[in-house]
Amino acid sequence: MVYGNQGITHHATEDIAIMRALPGMRVYVPGDAYEAEACLKDAYEYDGPAYIRLARNKEQNFHTEAIPIDINKISPLSEAGKDINILTAGSILCEGVKLRNLLHEAGISAGIFSVPRIKPSDKEGIIKLALSSKILLTLEEHQIIGGLGGEVAEIISGIKAPHALLHRAGLHNQFSDETGDQKYLRDFYGLSAEKLFPVVKDFLSGVMR
């Protein structure tokens, strides 16, 4: 949605699903410049095809040079939450951080993690979060089918032990056919922290009954 003002011809909200389906393809969706550097290095060293989805709005950096990024792992921006853990793909990481802060202020134990490499993903890390919290929330500027939400759903579907419920935030089998800047589109499609906060609270309250 970064090219939101250019209209529907410039929106790319199905690309991750398409690329994930290709055998041998690595798929990267960095959340900031430090993750982009780590993704590029990993793609260069990989003996095979790779797809890197990049944003363009000089997004905020959430990592620092002092903490190296392990591209093989989900990237923690906080401690893991006992109630909910948020997994984001791409520059929408900023909304995930805001949402985590809103939940934390409301007394909800929440964690925020970036997933810069969706294929292959950190299955062990995702399973660990699923076994230690009530909800996993995936957040992405993409269809909920086949993207990060699809990847996480596939991973946790194989867990036999009791695990977190999954809530996928993204487009629901629809084209992004609205025109406006990225902030407007996130809000329009319910992907902003402010729009997600009450939805997540209601979902969590249902789980805890």
Side-chain angles (χ1 to χ4, degrees), residues 39-140:
C39 289
L40 182 60
K41 185 175 185 294
D42 189 70
Y44 174 76
E45 294 174 348
Y46 173 56
D47 185 18
Y51 177 77
I52 305 175
R53 181 206 262 202
L54 296 173
R56 62 179 287 276
N57 276 346
K58 297 182 179 180
E59 286 73 19
Q60 178 181 353
N61 284 321
F62 292 94
H63 299 81
T64 67
E65 293 181 357
I67 305 176
I69 296 170
D70 184 351
I71 200 66
N72 297 302
K73 304 290 184 182
I74 54 177
S75 185
L77 277 299
S78 73
E79 294 183 354
K82 295 180 181 179
D83 294 322
I84 180 171
N85 284 297
I86 304 163
L87 296 165
T88 70
S91 61
I92 204 166
L93 171 60
C94 62
E95 298 293 342
V97 171
K98 292 178 190 175
L99 178 59
R100 186 263 172 186
N101 292 339
L102 289 173
L103 292 167
H104 184 74
E105 290 170 4
I108 297 170
S109 177
I112 173 70
F113 294 80
S114 179
V115 186
R117 192 179 70 192
I118 293 181
K119 181 188 178 185
S121 59
D122 177 14
K123 293 182 179 180
E124 290 184 3
I126 291 171
I127 289 173
K128 183 177 179 180
L129 291 180
L131 292 174
S132 61
S133 59
K134 300 179 180 69
I135 294 174
L136 288 183
L137 170 71
T138 57
L139 177 57
E140 57 190 325

Side-chain angles (χ1 to χ4, degrees), residues 152-169:
V152 173
E154 291 168 16
I155 291 171
I156 67 175
S157 66
I159 302 176
K160 295 180 180 179
H163 58 78
L165 293 179
L166 175 63
H167 183 80
R168 295 175 293 168

